[in-house]
Amino acid sequence: MYSRSSEPVRFERDCDVVMVPQGDQVTLPAGSVGYITQSLGGSYTVFVEGNLFRVAGGDADAIGKEPVPPLELPEGADDEAVEQMVWNQLRTCFDPEIPINIVDLGLVYEASVKPREDGQREVAIRMTLTAPGCGMGDILVADVRDKVEMIPTVAEADVELVFDPPWNRNMMSEVARLETGML
């Protein structure tokens, strides 16, 4: 959890966080002291009093960090450009315990963009987890939905959590397998 490269942090205000890996939502009070152990994709994993907690990007100010800036889409962007942005956003989603994005972990099976008559778009995503009983499953699904819905013109992201086919390490990218020593 903690290492010499972990950044010390003090909560500047009360902050709703999620316990890792249980997925329970709790509030850490202002003045809580800990260490940032992971800061990937705009969210933070913080080690406080022997526990890991995930701080959402929108609450980055609670630990003295800048919130994630809004996304911009070029004027007149087509569905292909939006789909590319969807995949880019998915690469900003990380399991709080594993410093590899969910795309490289092989957790995303499908992401498709469908235009609507009102000029907005709907995105359908099928994804899985490394383990069906993962306590962070709902948190990861919400993170995916929130990050995709940040994309201009995306009105709704429907994220379906599936377990068929079951995930296995062969679904990981070569880079991810190399980083985890599973190559």
Side-chain angles (χ1 to χ4, degrees):
M1 309 303 161
Y2 166 78
S3 72
R4 289 182 175 214
S5 63
S6 297
E7 179 184 345
V9 67
R10 178 182 184 90
F11 282 78
E12 298 173 7
R13 63 171 174 82
D14 290 357
C15 183
D16 293 333
V17 296
V18 177
M19 289 187 78
V20 177
Q22 300 90 331
D24 298 331
Q25 296 205 4
V26 298
T27 301
L28 287 178
S32 296
V33 176
Y35 297 91
I36 296 173
T37 61
Q38 179 172 290
S39 58
L40 299 167
S43 63
Y44 301 85
T45 303
V46 181
F47 182 75
V48 177
E49 295 182 5
N51 294 296
L52 287 175
F53 300 94
R54 180 180 180 273
V55 178
D59 287 319
D61 65 303
I63 56 173
K65 301 295 181 183
E66 291 293 321
V68 177
L71 295 173
E72 294 182 18
L73 190 63
E75 185 75 28
D78 62 8
D79 293 341
E80 190 175 313
V82 172
E83 185 173 330
Q84 183 60 47
M85 189 172 262
V86 166
W87 284 102
N88 290 342
Q89 280 296 91
L90 292 172
R91 285 182 178 87
T92 70
C93 297
F94 291 82
D95 182 303
E97 297 177 291
I98 306 170
I100 300 169
N101 71 69
I102 64 172
V103 173
D104 285 337
L105 276 174
L107 299 181
V108 181
Y109 293 158
E110 177 185 351
S112 59
V113 175
K114 182 175 130 185
R116 297 186 346 179
E117 289 182 20
D118 64 1
Q120 296 285 83
R121 294 172 172 96
E122 294 176 3
V123 177
I125 297 167
R126 289 182 62 242
M127 65 175 286
T128 193
L129 304 172
T130 56
C134 176
M136 294 301 293
D138 290 342
I139 304 307
L140 282 172
V141 166
D143 193 34
V144 166
R145 182 180 300 108
D146 292 346
K147 287 189 175 183
V148 170
E149 289 179 351
M150 292 172 71
I151 299 170
T153 76
V154 172
E156 181 182 358
D158 179 31
V159 183
E160 181 184 6
L161 191 58
V162 299
F163 295 101
D164 188 31
W167 179 86
N168 66 68
R169 68 182 188 177
N170 293 328
M171 295 173 167
M172 297 168 67
S173 71
E174 188 174 324
V175 171
R177 286 194 305 266
L178 186 61
E179 282 187 45
T180 58
M182 295 183 177
L183 191 61

